[in-house]
């Protein structure tokens, strides 16, 4: 049975961070050592990021709050709220970020009714609340109250792959299934000033964003589907358990991203790809450069550099990952879906295979875990023509429970 991604949409919060401005704020904090200050400048400037988005409006100088919790623009001080304060904001802001791309993904599949959704898989590692995001999406969109709901929490940057893999399995076991997958991360809730290199790196890389996909194997969907979900694999590298982690502290979640991570990926990426490519003998017999598209999670510039060097990929094959990193930063689990959407928005190659174009995709996370997937691009997706950071000026149609057809976005 062939399982398809019928639609794929993304969203970010309205507040845009300029990397150079954020660098200057972090570098000016009074508690930094001389080494810490140098690390801030090095990490921010070397991240290959120009802009990011955040749900924390007060992280910009343009915002004013009577009781600032994260940043006081009058003094220039970064504040250090408790984990409870940060998580309370997650509970308030995450629902918006989950719902927006989910609504857009459903509207992009007008042949499906709201009540056609049989399964919902939500993903996040940046906060907790219950009733959780899965519940909120059902209520906000007006999905059937009998939708089967699953939440994948605290898995990290690779979690979109287990979510898509679960959706594929649901569709293979039930030919009538229609699965809505939504990843939303508010990583910026956990930034703070510090002399710790891992904390500085996290502040330089991480951002907020969300993505949603509609997955199904229903007959006839291939006429409008964007992707085929062909194969997935998971590999744990023999080293790296202590090099990448995500822990809960008293003042937010604490990232561990050791500088040895790119070297681990460099040593083990070829072995991690072998079981995936073995599932497609035609691709396995080709050099990596012959696979037209590579949807690589941009965990950081140095990770992309190592993957490109080790696999011998061209600069063109890394454009989608580097573009997403430059314009959005690392949005944890949602990021690789942004990269996939970037690939889908490009025209099909005129001399490509008649049955679609192969995409090899991968993401890395705690463990060190390497998740990989093989997909087939079937057609070009409609490109986003509006700035997602300016949505407050755009009217978005709401969906009512039981509505027979998706309404169009205003």
């Amino acid at each position: 049975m062939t399982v398809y991604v019928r639609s794929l949409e993304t969203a970010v919060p309205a507040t845009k961070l300029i990397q150079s401005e954020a660098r200057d704020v972090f570098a000016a904090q009074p508690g930094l050592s001389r080494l810490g200050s140098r690390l801030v400048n090095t990490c921010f400037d070397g991240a290959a990021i120009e802009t990011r988005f955040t749900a924390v409006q007060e992280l910009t100088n343009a915002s004013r709050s009577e009781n600032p919790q994260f940043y006081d623009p009058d003094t220039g001080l970064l504040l250090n709220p408790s984990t409870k304060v940060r998580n309370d904001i997650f509970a308030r802001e995450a629902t918006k970020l989950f719902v927006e791309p989910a609504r857009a993904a459903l509207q992009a599949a007008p042949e499906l009714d709201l009540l056609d959704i049989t399964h919902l898989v939500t993903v996040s590692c940046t906060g907790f609340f219950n009733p959780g995001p899965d519940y909120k999406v059902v209520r906000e969109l007006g999905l059937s109250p009998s939708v089967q709901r699953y939440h994948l929490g605290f898995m990290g940057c690779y979690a979109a792959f287990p979510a898509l893999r679960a959706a594929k399995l649901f569709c293979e076991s039930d030919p009538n299934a229609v699965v809505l997958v939504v990843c939303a991360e508010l990583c910026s809730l956990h930034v703070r000033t510090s002399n710790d290199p891992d904390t500085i790196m996290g502040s330089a890389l991480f951002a907020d964003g969300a993505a949603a996909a509609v997955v199904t194997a229903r007959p006839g969907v291939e006429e409008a589907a964007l992707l085929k979900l062909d194969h997935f694999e998971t590999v744990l590298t023999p080293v790296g358990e202590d090099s990448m982690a995500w822990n809960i502290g008293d003042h937010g979640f604490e990232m561990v991203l050791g500088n040895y991570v790119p070297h681990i990926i460099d040593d083990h990426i070829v072995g991690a790809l072998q079981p995936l490519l073995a599932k497609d003998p035609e691709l396995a017999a080709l050099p990596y450069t012959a696979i037209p598209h590579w949807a690589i999670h941009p965990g950081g510039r140095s990770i992309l550099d190592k993957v490109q060097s080790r696999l011998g990929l061209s600069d063109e094959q890394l454009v989608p990952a580097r573009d997403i990193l430059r314009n959005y930063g690392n949005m944890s689990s949602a990021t690789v879906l942004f990269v996939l959407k970037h690939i889908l928005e490009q025209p099909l190659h005129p001399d490509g295979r008649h049955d679609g174009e192969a995409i090899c995709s991968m993401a890395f996370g705690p463990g060190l875990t390497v998740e990989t997937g093989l997909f087939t691009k079937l057609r070009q997706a409609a490109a986003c023509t509006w700035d997602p950071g300016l949505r407050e000026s755009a009217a978005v149609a709401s969906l009512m429970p039981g509505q027979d057809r998706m309404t169009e976005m205003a």
Side-chain angles (χ1 to χ4, degrees):
M1 180 179 295
T2 303
V3 180
Y4 300 94
V5 171
R6 170 62 183 86
S7 60
L8 174 61
E9 299 294 333
T10 59
V12 292
T15 301
K16 180 185 287 188
L17 295 177
I18 307 301
Q19 182 79 344
S20 59
E21 295 176 359
R23 174 204 64 207
D24 293 345
V25 168
F26 276 82
Q29 296 308 300
L32 283 180
S33 65
R34 183 177 299 178
L35 175 59
S37 182
R38 288 203 303 269
L39 284 173
V40 167
N41 285 284
T42 299
C43 290
F44 276 74
D45 289 344
I49 295 171
E50 295 179 2
T51 57
R52 294 179 281 168
F53 293 85
T54 176
V56 185
Q57 294 182 8
E58 65 181 59
L59 283 178
T60 66
N61 283 313
S63 177
R64 287 291 187 274
S65 174
E66 291 185 2
N67 299 297
Q69 296 175 306
F70 285 82
Y71 174 62
D72 184 348
D74 294 327
T75 63
L77 292 178
L78 287 165
L79 308 177
N80 196 21
S82 68
T83 300
K84 181 183 186 308
V85 168
R86 298 173 195 260
N87 196 68
D88 285 348
I89 296 174
F90 177 87
R92 183 179 72 240
E93 298 294 331
T95 296
K96 306 172 190 176
L97 208 53
F98 273 99
V99 168
E100 182 173 345
R103 177 180 286 125
L106 292 171
Q107 290 172 332
E111 74 278 7
L112 297 174
D113 295 340
L114 284 170
L115 299 183
D116 284 332
I117 304 300
T118 58
H119 299 73
L120 170 64
V121 183
T122 55
V123 178
S124 188
C125 68
T126 48
F128 302 93
F129 61 93
N130 203 2
D134 51 315
Y135 171 91
K136 295 291 187 180
V137 170
V138 169
R139 291 303 194 196
E140 291 287 333
L141 294 182
L143 304 182
S144 169
S146 62
V147 165
Q148 295 184 37
R149 307 182 341 251
Y150 304 85
H151 181 71
L152 302 182
F154 223 61
M155 298 185 78
C157 294
Y158 63 80
F161 285 87
L164 291 174
R165 185 168 57 239
K168 186 174 187 288
L169 290 171
F170 293 147
C171 293
E172 288 172 340
S173 64
D174 177 4
N176 197 48
V178 180
V179 186
L180 177 60
V181 175
V182 195
C183 301
E185 305 286 7
L186 278 67
C187 305
S188 67
L189 288 175
H190 304 291
V191 302
R192 59 192 182 278
T193 182
S194 173
N195 287 300
D196 176 69
D198 288 349
T199 303
I200 293 172
M201 181 60 72
S203 298
L205 285 176
F206 282 102
D208 303 351
V214 174
V215 179
T216 187
R218 282 191 175 186
V221 73
E222 66 272 12
E223 297 176 2
L226 301 176
L227 281 175
K228 285 194 300 181
L229 298 180
D230 298 318
H231 307 290
F232 292 94
E233 278 293 335
T234 301
V235 171
L236 292 177
T237 61
V239 295
E241 181 177 349
D242 298 327
S243 297
M244 187 183 292
W246 190 230
N247 302 312
I248 298 178
D250 293 335
H251 295 277
F253 298 173
E254 300 170 350
M255 185 196 71
V256 176
L257 185 59
N259 58 14
Y260 195 63
V261 168
H263 300 285
I264 298 173
I265 292 172
D266 187 34
D267 290 341
H268 298 284
I269 188 63
V270 171
L273 280 173
Q274 285 177 347
L276 177 75
L277 295 177
K279 293 185 174 182
D280 188 322
E282 181 180 348
L283 289 180
L286 298 174
Y288 297 124
T289 52
I291 299 174
H293 302 293
W294 288 81
I296 302 166
H297 167 69
R301 180 192 57 78
S302 59
I303 289 176
L304 293 180
D305 290 347
K306 289 293 186 182
V307 171
Q308 181 176 7
S309 175
R310 174 60 67 181
L311 301 183
L313 303 179
S314 68
D315 290 342
E316 182 181 3
Q317 288 171 308
L318 268 290
V319 164
R322 294 195 191 277
D323 277 359
I324 295 304
L325 181 64
R326 180 175 63 254
N327 296 321
Y328 298 96
N330 183 340
M331 301 165 286
S332 193
S333 67
T335 320
V336 74
L337 298 180
F338 275 69
V339 178
L340 277 171
K341 184 166 175 59
H342 185 294
I343 292 171
L344 290 171
E345 289 174 352
Q346 309 311 310
L348 289 165
H349 295 169
D351 56 350
R353 298 190 328 186
H354 71 280
D355 57 344
E357 299 173 355
I359 302 173
C360 187
S361 187
M362 66 184 73
F364 320 98
L368 185 74
T369 302
V370 182
E371 287 278 355
T372 56
L374 278 179
F375 313 130
T376 301
K377 176 181 174 179
L378 301 174
R379 57 187 39 83
Q380 182 180 2
C384 178
T385 57
W386 55 285
D387 184 348
L390 301 177
R391 73 177 49 77
E392 290 181 348
S393 64
V396 180
S398 61
L399 299 175
M400 300 301 293
Q403 185 174 332
D404 288 336
R405 294 289 172 189
M406 301 297 104
T407 57
E408 295 295 325
M409 293 185 72

PDB file of all heavy atoms in Angstrom, residues 212-243:
ATOM      1  N   ALA A 212       2.778  21.076   9.701  1.00  0.00           N
ATOM      2  CA  ALA A 212       1.722  20.067   9.746  1.00  0.00           C
ATOM      3  C   ALA A 212       1.594  19.381   8.403  1.00  0.00           C
ATOM      4  O   ALA A 212       1.783  20.009   7.351  1.00  0.00           O
ATOM      5  CB  ALA A 212       0.381  20.698  10.140  1.00  0.00           C
ATOM      6  N   ALA A 213       1.268  18.098   8.435  1.00  0.00           N
ATOM      7  CA  ALA A 213       1.097  17.314   7.214  1.00  0.00           C
ATOM      8  C   ALA A 213      -0.160  16.460   7.332  1.00  0.00           C
ATOM      9  O   ALA A 213      -0.489  15.968   8.417  1.00  0.00           O
ATOM     10  CB  ALA A 213       2.309  16.419   6.979  1.00  0.00           C
ATOM     11  N   VAL A 214      -0.846  16.296   6.211  1.00  0.00           N
ATOM     12  CA  VAL A 214      -1.967  15.364   6.115  1.00  0.00           C
ATOM     13  C   VAL A 214      -1.471  14.131   5.373  1.00  0.00           C
ATOM     14  O   VAL A 214      -0.966  14.230   4.245  1.00  0.00           O
ATOM     15  CB  VAL A 214      -3.160  15.996   5.375  1.00  0.00           C
ATOM     16  CG1 VAL A 214      -4.265  14.952   5.164  1.00  0.00           C
ATOM     17  CG2 VAL A 214      -3.705  17.185   6.163  1.00  0.00           C
ATOM     18  N   VAL A 215      -1.589  12.971   6.011  1.00  0.00           N
ATOM     19  CA  VAL A 215      -1.055  11.710   5.486  1.00  0.00           C
ATOM     20  C   VAL A 215      -2.207  10.729   5.290  1.00  0.00           C
ATOM     21  O   VAL A 215      -3.037  10.550   6.190  1.00  0.00           O
ATOM     22  CB  VAL A 215      -0.009  11.119   6.459  1.00  0.00           C
ATOM     23  CG1 VAL A 215       0.529   9.797   5.929  1.00  0.00           C
ATOM     24  CG2 VAL A 215       1.120  12.120   6.701  1.00  0.00           C
ATOM     25  N   THR A 216      -2.253  10.081   4.132  1.00  0.00           N
ATOM     26  CA  THR A 216      -3.318   9.121   3.870  1.00  0.00           C
ATOM     27  C   THR A 216      -2.930   8.187   2.736  1.00  0.00           C
ATOM     28  O   THR A 216      -2.042   8.493   1.939  1.00  0.00           O
ATOM     29  CB  THR A 216      -4.646   9.841   3.526  1.00  0.00           C
ATOM     30  OG1 THR A 216      -5.707   8.892   3.422  1.00  0.00           O
ATOM     31  CG2 THR A 216      -4.531  10.616   2.227  1.00  0.00           C
ATOM     32  N   ALA A 217      -3.622   7.051   2.671  1.00  0.00           N
ATOM     33  CA  ALA A 217      -3.473   6.105   1.552  1.00  0.00           C
ATOM     34  C   ALA A 217      -4.807   5.918   0.830  1.00  0.00           C
ATOM     35  O   ALA A 217      -4.968   4.961   0.070  1.00  0.00           O
ATOM     36  CB  ALA A 217      -2.962   4.762   2.067  1.00  0.00           C
ATOM     37  N   ARG A 218      -5.740   6.807   1.051  1.00  0.00           N
ATOM     38  CA  ARG A 218      -7.055   6.671   0.426  1.00  0.00           C
ATOM     39  C   ARG A 218      -6.953   6.650  -1.100  1.00  0.00           C
ATOM     40  O   ARG A 218      -6.158   7.371  -1.689  1.00  0.00           O
ATOM     41  CB  ARG A 218      -7.960   7.829   0.854  1.00  0.00           C
ATOM     42  CG  ARG A 218      -8.525   7.668   2.254  1.00  0.00           C
ATOM     43  CD  ARG A 218      -9.605   8.695   2.508  1.00  0.00           C
ATOM     44  NE  ARG A 218     -10.253   8.492   3.796  1.00  0.00           N
ATOM     45  CZ  ARG A 218     -11.303   9.183   4.217  1.00  0.00           C
ATOM     46  NH1 ARG A 218     -11.820  10.130   3.449  1.00  0.00           N
ATOM     47  NH2 ARG A 218     -11.829   8.939   5.398  1.00  0.00           N
ATOM     48  N   PRO A 219      -7.774   5.848  -1.761  1.00  0.00           N
ATOM     49  CA  PRO A 219      -7.753   5.800  -3.227  1.00  0.00           C
ATOM     50  C   PRO A 219      -8.022   7.176  -3.827  1.00  0.00           C
ATOM     51  O   PRO A 219      -8.862   7.935  -3.338  1.00  0.00           O
ATOM     52  CB  PRO A 219      -8.885   4.817  -3.559  1.00  0.00           C
ATOM     53  CG  PRO A 219      -9.031   3.974  -2.317  1.00  0.00           C
ATOM     54  CD  PRO A 219      -8.724   4.889  -1.175  1.00  0.00           C
ATOM     55  N   GLY A 220      -7.274   7.496  -4.881  1.00  0.00           N
ATOM     56  CA  GLY A 220      -7.471   8.750  -5.573  1.00  0.00           C
ATOM     57  C   GLY A 220      -6.633   9.901  -5.070  1.00  0.00           C
ATOM     58  O   GLY A 220      -6.489  10.914  -5.761  1.00  0.00           O
ATOM     59  N   VAL A 221      -6.048   9.779  -3.877  1.00  0.00           N
ATOM     60  CA  VAL A 221      -5.305  10.891  -3.315  1.00  0.00           C
ATOM     61  C   VAL A 221      -4.022  11.150  -4.083  1.00  0.00           C
ATOM     62  O   VAL A 221      -3.496  12.274  -4.080  1.00  0.00           O
ATOM     63  CB  VAL A 221      -5.001  10.650  -1.821  1.00  0.00           C
ATOM     64  CG1 VAL A 221      -3.915   9.597  -1.653  1.00  0.00           C
ATOM     65  CG2 VAL A 221      -4.587  11.940  -1.136  1.00  0.00           C
ATOM     66  N   GLU A 222      -3.497  10.128  -4.779  1.00  0.00           N
ATOM     67  CA  GLU A 222      -2.228  10.297  -5.497  1.00  0.00           C
ATOM     68  C   GLU A 222      -2.326  11.368  -6.589  1.00  0.00           C
ATOM     69  O   GLU A 222      -1.315  11.915  -7.031  1.00  0.00           O
ATOM     70  CB  GLU A 222      -1.777   8.970  -6.105  1.00  0.00           C
ATOM     71  CG  GLU A 222      -2.656   8.412  -7.201  1.00  0.00           C
ATOM     72  CD  GLU A 222      -3.791   7.546  -6.668  1.00  0.00           C
ATOM     73  OE1 GLU A 222      -4.036   7.561  -5.446  1.00  0.00           O
ATOM     74  OE2 GLU A 222      -4.430   6.858  -7.488  1.00  0.00           O
ATOM     75  N   GLU A 223      -3.533  11.675  -7.033  1.00  0.00           N
ATOM     76  CA  GLU A 223      -3.701  12.680  -8.086  1.00  0.00           C
ATOM     77  C   GLU A 223      -3.304  14.073  -7.616  1.00  0.00           C
ATOM     78  O   GLU A 223      -2.980  14.933  -8.446  1.00  0.00           O
ATOM     79  CB  GLU A 223      -5.160  12.676  -8.569  1.00  0.00           C
ATOM     80  CG  GLU A 223      -5.590  11.364  -9.202  1.00  0.00           C
ATOM     81  CD  GLU A 223      -7.059  11.357  -9.581  1.00  0.00           C
ATOM     82  OE1 GLU A 223      -7.721  12.410  -9.382  1.00  0.00           O
ATOM     83  OE2 GLU A 223      -7.549  10.326 -10.069  1.00  0.00           O
ATOM     84  N   ALA A 224      -3.340  14.319  -6.302  1.00  0.00           N
ATOM     85  CA  ALA A 224      -2.990  15.642  -5.777  1.00  0.00           C
ATOM     86  C   ALA A 224      -1.906  15.590  -4.712  1.00  0.00           C
ATOM     87  O   ALA A 224      -1.488  16.632  -4.217  1.00  0.00           O
ATOM     88  CB  ALA A 224      -4.245  16.311  -5.194  1.00  0.00           C
ATOM     89  N   ALA A 225      -1.442  14.387  -4.368  1.00  0.00           N
ATOM     90  CA  ALA A 225      -0.474  14.248  -3.275  1.00  0.00           C
ATOM     91  C   ALA A 225       0.870  14.863  -3.648  1.00  0.00           C
ATOM     92  O   ALA A 225       1.250  14.930  -4.818  1.00  0.00           O
ATOM     93  CB  ALA A 225      -0.295  12.778  -2.914  1.00  0.00           C
ATOM     94  N   LEU A 226       1.616  15.298  -2.618  1.00  0.00           N
ATOM     95  CA  LEU A 226       2.926  15.910  -2.813  1.00  0.00           C
ATOM     96  C   LEU A 226       4.056  14.898  -2.742  1.00  0.00           C
ATOM     97  O   LEU A 226       5.033  14.998  -3.477  1.00  0.00           O
ATOM     98  CB  LEU A 226       3.155  16.986  -1.748  1.00  0.00           C
ATOM     99  CG  LEU A 226       2.159  18.133  -1.695  1.00  0.00           C
ATOM    100  CD1 LEU A 226       2.483  19.047  -0.518  1.00  0.00           C
ATOM    101  CD2 LEU A 226       2.149  18.912  -2.992  1.00  0.00           C
ATOM    102  N   LEU A 227       3.928  13.944  -1.824  1.00  0.00           N
ATOM    103  CA  LEU A 227       5.016  13.016  -1.518  1.00  0.00           C
ATOM    104  C   LEU A 227       4.492  11.609  -1.356  1.00  0.00           C
ATOM    105  O   LEU A 227       3.348  11.397  -0.931  1.00  0.00           O
ATOM    106  CB  LEU A 227       5.682  13.383  -0.188  1.00  0.00           C
ATOM    107  CG  LEU A 227       6.682  14.511  -0.048  1.00  0.00           C
ATOM    108  CD1 LEU A 227       7.019  14.666   1.424  1.00  0.00           C
ATOM    109  CD2 LEU A 227       7.933  14.213  -0.843  1.00  0.00           C
ATOM    110  N   LYS A 228       5.350  10.633  -1.643  1.00  0.00           N
ATOM    111  CA  LYS A 228       5.149   9.269  -1.173  1.00  0.00           C
ATOM    112  C   LYS A 228       6.084   9.034   0.011  1.00  0.00           C
ATOM    113  O   LYS A 228       7.255   9.429  -0.026  1.00  0.00           O
ATOM    114  CB  LYS A 228       5.478   8.248  -2.263  1.00  0.00           C
ATOM    115  CG  LYS A 228       4.442   8.117  -3.352  1.00  0.00           C
ATOM    116  CD  LYS A 228       4.673   6.865  -4.201  1.00  0.00           C
ATOM    117  CE  LYS A 228       6.024   6.880  -4.876  1.00  0.00           C
ATOM    118  NZ  LYS A 228       6.253   5.684  -5.726  1.00  0.00           N
ATOM    119  N   LEU A 229       5.564   8.411   1.056  1.00  0.00           N
ATOM    120  CA  LEU A 229       6.399   7.994   2.186  1.00  0.00           C
ATOM    121  C   LEU A 229       6.855   6.572   1.905  1.00  0.00           C
ATOM    122  O   LEU A 229       6.084   5.625   2.025  1.00  0.00           O
ATOM    123  CB  LEU A 229       5.601   8.062   3.497  1.00  0.00           C
ATOM    124  CG  LEU A 229       5.097   9.448   3.917  1.00  0.00           C
ATOM    125  CD1 LEU A 229       4.322   9.355   5.230  1.00  0.00           C
ATOM    126  CD2 LEU A 229       6.241  10.432   4.057  1.00  0.00           C
ATOM    127  N   ASP A 230       8.111   6.425   1.530  1.00  0.00           N
ATOM    128  CA  ASP A 230       8.591   5.124   1.075  1.00  0.00           C
ATOM    129  C   ASP A 230       9.155   4.271   2.212  1.00  0.00           C
ATOM    130  O   ASP A 230       8.666   3.169   2.466  1.00  0.00           O
ATOM    131  CB  ASP A 230       9.649   5.320  -0.016  1.00  0.00           C
ATOM    132  CG  ASP A 230       9.086   6.017  -1.246  1.00  0.00           C
ATOM    133  OD1 ASP A 230       7.955   5.664  -1.655  1.00  0.00           O
ATOM    134  OD2 ASP A 230       9.757   6.913  -1.794  1.00  0.00           O
ATOM    135  N   HIS A 231      10.206   4.752   2.896  1.00  0.00           N
ATOM    136  CA  HIS A 231      10.869   3.940   3.911  1.00  0.00           C
ATOM    137  C   HIS A 231      11.402   4.827   5.040  1.00  0.00           C
ATOM    138  O   HIS A 231      11.739   5.990   4.824  1.00  0.00           O
ATOM    139  CB  HIS A 231      12.050   3.159   3.308  1.00  0.00           C
ATOM    140  CG  HIS A 231      11.694   2.345   2.112  1.00  0.00           C
ATOM    141  ND1 HIS A 231      10.917   1.211   2.181  1.00  0.00           N
ATOM    142  CD2 HIS A 231      12.014   2.497   0.796  1.00  0.00           C
ATOM    143  CE1 HIS A 231      10.768   0.697   0.979  1.00  0.00           C
ATOM    144  NE2 HIS A 231      11.421   1.458   0.117  1.00  0.00           N
ATOM    145  N   PHE A 232      11.512   4.234   6.223  1.00  0.00           N
ATOM    146  CA  PHE A 232      12.115   4.901   7.384  1.00  0.00           C
ATOM    147  C   PHE A 232      13.099   3.947   8.045  1.00  0.00           C
ATOM    148  O   PHE A 232      12.937   2.728   8.002  1.00  0.00           O
ATOM    149  CB  PHE A 232      11.055   5.297   8.412  1.00  0.00           C
ATOM    150  CG  PHE A 232      10.120   6.387   7.972  1.00  0.00           C
ATOM    151  CD1 PHE A 232       8.896   6.075   7.390  1.00  0.00           C
ATOM    152  CD2 PHE A 232      10.451   7.718   8.142  1.00  0.00           C
ATOM    153  CE1 PHE A 232       8.024   7.065   6.987  1.00  0.00           C
ATOM    154  CE2 PHE A 232       9.587   8.724   7.736  1.00  0.00           C
ATOM    155  CZ  PHE A 232       8.367   8.394   7.156  1.00  0.00           C
ATOM    156  N   GLU A 233      14.101   4.513   8.701  1.00  0.00           N
ATOM    157  CA  GLU A 233      15.033   3.731   9.514  1.00  0.00           C
ATOM    158  C   GLU A 233      15.487   4.570  10.712  1.00  0.00           C
ATOM    159  O   GLU A 233      15.528   5.803  10.645  1.00  0.00           O
ATOM    160  CB  GLU A 233      16.266   3.319   8.706  1.00  0.00           C
ATOM    161  CG  GLU A 233      16.066   2.093   7.839  1.00  0.00           C
ATOM    162  CD  GLU A 233      15.862   0.814   8.635  1.00  0.00           C
ATOM    163  OE1 GLU A 233      16.328   0.762   9.801  1.00  0.00           O
ATOM    164  OE2 GLU A 233      15.251  -0.127   8.104  1.00  0.00           O
ATOM    165  N   THR A 234      15.846   3.866  11.788  1.00  0.00           N
ATOM    166  CA  THR A 234      16.402   4.490  12.985  1.00  0.00           C
ATOM    167  C   THR A 234      17.728   3.820  13.312  1.00  0.00           C
ATOM    168  O   THR A 234      17.820   2.592  13.283  1.00  0.00           O
ATOM    169  CB  THR A 234      15.465   4.322  14.203  1.00  0.00           C
ATOM    170  OG1 THR A 234      14.204   4.905  13.909  1.00  0.00           O
ATOM    171  CG2 THR A 234      16.050   4.987  15.438  1.00  0.00           C
ATOM    172  N   VAL A 235      18.737   4.628  13.630  1.00  0.00           N
ATOM    173  CA  VAL A 235      20.039   4.094  14.023  1.00  0.00           C
ATOM    174  C   VAL A 235      20.539   4.867  15.235  1.00  0.00           C
ATOM    175  O   VAL A 235      20.472   6.100  15.268  1.00  0.00           O
ATOM    176  CB  VAL A 235      21.071   4.207  12.877  1.00  0.00           C
ATOM    177  CG1 VAL A 235      22.466   3.846  13.367  1.00  0.00           C
ATOM    178  CG2 VAL A 235      20.674   3.299  11.710  1.00  0.00           C
ATOM    179  N   LEU A 236      21.018   4.136  16.242  1.00  0.00           N
ATOM    180  CA  LEU A 236      21.706   4.750  17.377  1.00  0.00           C
ATOM    181  C   LEU A 236      23.207   4.609  17.154  1.00  0.00           C
ATOM    182  O   LEU A 236      23.701   3.504  16.931  1.00  0.00           O
ATOM    183  CB  LEU A 236      21.322   4.073  18.692  1.00  0.00           C
ATOM    184  CG  LEU A 236      19.887   4.251  19.174  1.00  0.00           C
ATOM    185  CD1 LEU A 236      19.669   3.457  20.462  1.00  0.00           C
ATOM    186  CD2 LEU A 236      19.575   5.711  19.414  1.00  0.00           C
ATOM    187  N   THR A 237      23.912   5.728  17.181  1.00  0.00           N
ATOM    188  CA  THR A 237      25.365   5.644  17.017  1.00  0.00           C
ATOM    189  C   THR A 237      25.972   5.011  18.268  1.00  0.00           C
ATOM    190  O   THR A 237      25.407   5.121  19.370  1.00  0.00           O
ATOM    191  CB  THR A 237      25.971   7.037  16.786  1.00  0.00           C
ATOM    192  OG1 THR A 237      25.710   7.864  17.921  1.00  0.00           O
ATOM    193  CG2 THR A 237      25.384   7.684  15.549  1.00  0.00           C
ATOM    194  N   PRO A 238      27.110   4.351  18.144  1.00  0.00           N
ATOM    195  CA  PRO A 238      27.706   3.668  19.299  1.00  0.00           C
ATOM    196  C   PRO A 238      28.253   4.619  20.351  1.00  0.00           C
ATOM    197  O   PRO A 238      28.524   4.203  21.477  1.00  0.00           O
ATOM    198  CB  PRO A 238      28.821   2.827  18.673  1.00  0.00           C
ATOM    199  CG  PRO A 238      29.137   3.501  17.389  1.00  0.00           C
ATOM    200  CD  PRO A 238      27.853   4.086  16.901  1.00  0.00           C
ATOM    201  N   VAL A 239      28.421   5.885  20.020  1.00  0.00           N
ATOM    202  CA  VAL A 239      28.878   6.892  20.977  1.00  0.00           C
ATOM    203  C   VAL A 239      27.984   8.115  20.843  1.00  0.00           C
ATOM    204  O   VAL A 239      27.241   8.260  19.881  1.00  0.00           O
ATOM    205  CB  VAL A 239      30.348   7.304  20.721  1.00  0.00           C
ATOM    206  CG1 VAL A 239      31.287   6.135  20.960  1.00  0.00           C
ATOM    207  CG2 VAL A 239      30.514   7.830  19.297  1.00  0.00           C
ATOM    208  N   GLY A 240      28.035   8.992  21.847  1.00  0.00           N
ATOM    209  CA  GLY A 240      27.306  10.247  21.742  1.00  0.00           C
ATOM    210  C   GLY A 240      26.183  10.436  22.725  1.00  0.00           C
ATOM    211  O   GLY A 240      25.508  11.469  22.708  1.00  0.00           O
ATOM    212  N   GLU A 241      25.963   9.453  23.617  1.00  0.00           N
ATOM    213  CA  GLU A 241      24.857   9.586  24.563  1.00  0.00           C
ATOM    214  C   GLU A 241      24.989  10.835  25.416  1.00  0.00           C
ATOM    215  O   GLU A 241      23.985  11.480  25.761  1.00  0.00           O
ATOM    216  CB  GLU A 241      24.792   8.346  25.462  1.00  0.00           C
ATOM    217  CG  GLU A 241      23.640   8.384  26.465  1.00  0.00           C
ATOM    218  CD  GLU A 241      23.551   7.111  27.286  1.00  0.00           C
ATOM    219  OE1 GLU A 241      24.237   6.130  26.930  1.00  0.00           O
ATOM    220  OE2 GLU A 241      22.794   7.096  28.263  1.00  0.00           O
ATOM    221  N   ASP A 242      26.206  11.196  25.763  1.00  0.00           N
ATOM    222  CA  ASP A 242      26.416  12.364  26.614  1.00  0.00           C
ATOM    223  C   ASP A 242      26.669  13.639  25.818  1.00  0.00           C
ATOM    224  O   ASP A 242      26.846  14.714  26.404  1.00  0.00           O
ATOM    225  CB  ASP A 242      27.611  12.117  27.545  1.00  0.00           C
ATOM    226  CG  ASP A 242      27.392  10.947  28.479  1.00  0.00           C
ATOM    227  OD1 ASP A 242      26.232  10.725  28.877  1.00  0.00           O
ATOM    228  OD2 ASP A 242      28.370  10.231  28.800  1.00  0.00           O
ATOM    229  N   SER A 243      26.681  13.536  24.495  1.00  0.00           N
ATOM    230  CA  SER A 243      27.036  14.687  23.670  1.00  0.00           C
ATOM    231  C   SER A 243      25.833  15.502  23.219  1.00  0.00           C
ATOM    232  O   SER A 243      25.976  16.650  22.801  1.00  0.00           O
ATOM    233  CB  SER A 243      27.816  14.229  22.431  1.00  0.00           C
ATOM    234  OG  SER A 243      29.038  13.624  22.815  1.00  0.00           O
TER     235      SER A 243
END
